[in-house]
Amino acid sequence: MTPAITADKLTKKFGDFTAVNQITFEVKKGEIFGFLGANGAGKTTAMRMLNGLSRPTAGQAEVAGFNVYRQAEKIKRHIGYMSQKFSLYEDLTVRENIRFYGGIYGLPGREIRRQEKELTASLGMEGYSNTLVKAIPLGWKQKLSFSIAIMHRPEIVFLDEPTGGVDPITRRQFWEMIYKAASEGMTVFVTTHYMDEAEYCGRVSIMVDGHIAALDTPRALKEQFGAESMNDVFLQLTRPNQ
Amino acid sequence: MIMKQFGIFIQKELYHIFRDRRTLLILLGMPVVLVLLFGFAITNEIDNARIAILDESKGEMSREITQRLVASGYFLIDENLREVSEIEQHFREGKTKMAVVFPPDLQENIRRHLPAQIQLIADATDPNTATTLINYASAIIGQQLREQNHGQAAPMQINTEVKMLYNPRLKSVFMFVPGVMTVILMLVSAMMTSIAITREKELGTMEVLLASPLKPSLIIIGKVIPYILLALANTVVILMLGTFVFGMPVKGSLLLLGLECLLFVVTSLALGILISTRTESQQVAMLISLMALMLPTILLSGFIFPIESMPKVLQVLSNIIPAKWFIIIIKNIMLKGTGVGFVWKESLILTGMALFFIGASVRNFKIRLE
Amino acid sequence: MSTNAIKVESASKRYGKGVVALDKVSFEVGQGELFGLIGPDGAGKTTLIRILATLLLADEGYAEVNGWEVRKDYRKIRRHIGYMPGRFSLYQDLSVEENLHFFATIFGTSIEENYDLIRDIYVQLEPFRKRKAGKLSGGMKQKLALSCALIHKPAVLLLDEPTTGVDAVSRQEFWEMLRKLKEKGIAILVSTPYMDEASLCERVALIQKGHILSIDEPKKIVSAFDKPLFAVRTNDMYRLIQDLRAFESTHSAFPFGENVHLALKNPIWPEAIQAYLAGKGHTDIEIHPAQATIEDAFMELMGQEEEVNQ
């Protein structure tokens, strides 16, 4: 089975500054992959290259079987994206948001209406279709924006700090949605600097200063560093002297 | 402690202003650009306007009038026509803006002291220019006829009654400088302060200032003082441009002029503060300043459209526009050279407005977030 | 001193018509105490802190800071608190030094006068003191904001989500600073949506939908979770959760990192769970007794709350 993402010595330079330095990794199909690092470690730059938004300076990468240099437009059609900061239009209703995103990805009208029904039902949001997004609770917003991000059945979905600031129950409901999507074969790529979120991933990579400093399952990493939590692993990697 | 707080606040405000190079450049450059634009480009003045002459009388009188028109410097003879039909053709081709037609019996009628007619035909697609051309030409012709008749009443049916008081050469820049000054002062004082205050709200720094021992009044005064200075600097620049580039006189007292400008600035600042107490974002503050302050200032103050020729409703409405009173005041001081005796009424109205707006903004200013 | 640093008695706050931000909230923070306000976004943390910072008025109830009532004595409070709002609220176009100097002066003091208090924090900023605040990294911004909130030697510090959006290293450093400040006798009220930060406080209030679920030392809140708890994992996480929820002895089953935390209604042997899961076709089954965390406790309290409401 071909991997969902392969990166081989992927590099991005801005002038003299090397933001991403020869990163090499593979993400398997249906895997939940955590992409961790401090602010400014190069996470966002790396993710933009994989999303087809930024052209690498050197190295190779394939996403969903497409080359990041030559087939950026195809990549965009086969991935989904959700960020904690922006995903839904607050001044549109739930239904309008669903139709808008369905329309962007060229889903037929009948399919959009079917998904709209299914989606609101599975989130327990029947009767809220005509409510403005800004008026629904944060937990719903996050679940809704994840559902919308995978409406077009992408092969890979990129999540940017997906569960910051929600209550623990909502957070778990959110992770259950992710597990469900993964169990159906969707690959989930989570970028975050919040280490608690990393514990939920199948495998994680930790970026430090533009390169990947560690890559394994959370359990193996914790064993390797003799740490109790991913947070401790991360602190050891980024502050080795203390 | 208050003086120290005040000092550091103004220092901080000046840092904001001077570090935002682009805005500063716009604020300092805009008055210059506006004055030059109004002064040179958007002008009703006539200078070497091309006209056509159809001289069917071919007499002494028509020659003298033609010479006089050319000698005035306002007109340039584009062509001497041979028949009436050519006039329209010339207008169509856009070659000339006005044609002067001397009838065949002109010389004869003058000699007999009979009423004679000279026809002025103008291209009225641009009515302002057409009117001005006709006015100039008839004034020049009238003068010629008066001299001809040695001061006796002209027998011709041409209206030569053109009055050009205070601005004898009809220099439009004299009208624009006070107007531009008003717009700039309003812009810098009202719009910039309302934006500067809402910016602190938007960035959240207002929250920290409110939770500190700073008195709210001090926050406001500290915010506006730099803009008063900026507005006054603009006033000086505009006046200097008017005087040195366009030769515009300032006949009245400079001190009085300065004080009146300060009064108008304070009125505008109070308006700006009032807007900022009611808005949460810079964008909204800017829109309100533009729609509710700038447009009326430009349209209803008499700056561009004469108030006398507005519909009655707008004439009444114009009374609540501070800019209207300010323009009356500074035109009086600058062009007529009148003293405080002639503008005290308008100044009093402005002062009243200033006090009202200050009162309203103090009432509206919140010492908490809601 | 006998007065509390902070005292709130059944404070309520509504926005507009329907939205209840705070619903009869009461708690106290002692002098020199490090007190955490823990809850998700929209729980009412910011509203509560703004009421204490005299920036909002409660609709009902009573609140005082350092013995001063928030409505009447707001001027005194404003002189003696250090307040850090949720978003970065310093002047981005002013340098590090200019910001600090500005805030020192408006509080009627100078950087030199209280340098001792901020030295540990400010030394890290010193190399960048000519840099504009807007150009600092997230962690550095937080340190500068804390320095500015401390420069007048406040009796009480009110910090609204100081660690949100800050990376793990900076978060850890920030909490170390708070511990040192606490030792200097400053009372600190700090809010956070991150449950794992609860253990860094002396006492915490768990808050949800404007309502306080529990107030206690973090350890006691955790130990109040009295259900038998197991960490379970198998080859198929998603199906595991569904199957455990269908299990008759299950009280609750939630994903928890790599495991599922299974709370039981009554104590049973892990072998019974193992047999049940094997019967459902799971392989690689691992079952270990687990230590409850603040998140388990929070979820349990949320669940109880909902039952009471229904």
Side-chain angles (χ1 to χ4, degrees), chain A residues 46-63:
Chain A
M47 194 171 74
R48 286 201 180 133
M49 287 192 281
L50 298 176
N51 279 341
L53 296 175
S54 163
R55 203 181 157 80
T57 312
Q60 278 304 328
E62 274 186 15
V63 177

Side-chain angles (χ1 to χ4, degrees), chain C residues 54-231:
Chain C
T54 74
L55 293 172
L56 288 179
L57 289 174
D59 298 331
E60 290 157 40
Y62 174 87
E64 62 174 45
V65 176
N66 220 23
W68 296 303
E69 201 268 326
V70 288
R71 183 192 294 262
K72 193 167 84 251
D73 299 325
Y74 74 96
R75 284 186 189 282
K76 282 186 193 140
I77 295 176
R78 288 180 183 186
R79 211 168 303 144
H80 292 97
I81 56 163
Y83 170 55
M84 227 176 113
R87 345 172 244 173
F88 180 65
S89 298
L90 298 178
Y91 295 103
Q92 315 248 5
D93 55 344
L94 262 55
S95 72
V96 168
E97 211 171 30
E98 286 162 353
N99 266 300
L100 194 59
H101 179 59
F102 174 75
F103 284 102
T105 312
I106 64 170
F107 278 94
T109 179
S110 64
I111 300 178
E112 295 74 33
E113 207 172 317
N114 290 319
Y115 189 72
D116 276 357
L117 196 60
I118 60 161
R119 181 187 291 128
D120 290 342
I121 309 165
Y122 196 62
V123 284
Q124 304 175 54
L125 285 162
E126 206 108 60
F128 312 107
R129 63 180 208 281
K130 297 278 177 214
R131 190 178 289 188
K132 301 271 187 297
K135 295 259 158 74
L136 294 173
S137 71
M140 284 295 172
K141 277 183 183 163
Q142 294 305 71
K143 281 172 199 159
L144 177 59
L146 184 61
S147 302
C148 288
L150 276 172
I151 192 64
H152 58 291
K153 209 171 181 201
V156 180
L157 258 186
L158 304 172
L159 311 175
D160 193 8
E161 297 202 14
T163 55
T164 296
V166 173
D167 65 58
V169 177
S170 301
R171 273 171 72 198
Q172 200 195 28
E173 286 173 355
F174 199 86
W175 278 99
E176 277 165 22
M177 285 179 237
L178 294 190
R179 259 197 304 277
K180 281 186 194 156
L181 290 172
K182 180 214 127 52
E183 277 159 23
K184 290 184 178 157
I186 297 175
I188 303 172
L189 175 68
V190 55
S191 75
T192 176
Y194 299 136
M195 304 281 149
D196 54 344
E197 290 182 348
S199 61
L200 304 168
C201 305
E202 285 173 279
R203 282 195 313 141
V204 295
L206 304 184
I207 184 168
Q208 159 84 355
K209 290 182 184 164
H211 199 81
I212 290 187
L213 301 172
S214 170
I215 304 176
D216 213 328
E217 291 167 35
K219 263 190 218 139
K220 287 191 182 154
I221 288 182
V222 171
S223 61
F225 186 91
D226 53 0
K227 305 267 184 319
L229 191 69
F230 289 95

Side-chain angles (χ1 to χ4, degrees), chain B residues 1 3-20 199-216 218 223 366-370, chain C residues 13-15 46 50 53-57 59 70-72 74-75 77-79 81 83-95 98 101-103 105-109 132 160:
Chain B
M1 172 165 158
M3 277 331 283
K4 263 195 172 173
Q5 286 182 329
F6 195 53
I8 191 84
F9 202 96
I10 291 188
Q11 188 189 356
K12 170 199 81 100
E13 218 50 45
L14 289 174
Y15 282 147
H16 291 323
I17 294 174
F18 283 108
R19 285 179 187 173
D20 187 356
R199 183 173 54 202
E200 297 236 17
K201 287 192 189 178
E202 216 172 273
L203 293 176
T205 45
M206 189 57 94
E207 212 177 323
V208 183
L209 293 184
L210 282 179
S212 81
L214 270 184
K215 288 214 171 62
L218 204 146
K223 261 319 310 155
K366 299 168 201 118
I367 55 164
R368 297 190 170 84
L369 286 176
E370 51 160 37
Chain C
K13 176 81 187 169
R14 261 174 295 279
Y15 292 114
T46 299
R50 281 182 172 166
T54 74
L55 293 172
L56 288 179
L57 289 174
D59 298 331
V70 288
R71 183 192 294 262
K72 193 167 84 251
Y74 74 96
R75 284 186 189 282
I77 295 176
R78 288 180 183 186
R79 211 168 303 144
I81 56 163
Y83 170 55
M84 227 176 113
R87 345 172 244 173
F88 180 65
S89 298
L90 298 178
Y91 295 103
Q92 315 248 5
D93 55 344
L94 262 55
S95 72
E98 286 162 353
H101 179 59
F102 174 75
F103 284 102
T105 312
I106 64 170
F107 278 94
T109 179
K132 301 271 187 297
D160 193 8

Side-chain angles (χ1 to χ4, degrees), chain A residues 7 27 40 73 79 88 92 103 115 122 129 134 164 181 187-188 208:
Chain A
V27 181
E73 290 311 310
I79 60 172
L88 302 173
L92 296 187
Q115 290 230 23
S122 71
S129 286
K134 68 177 159 208
T187 308
V188 185
V208 180

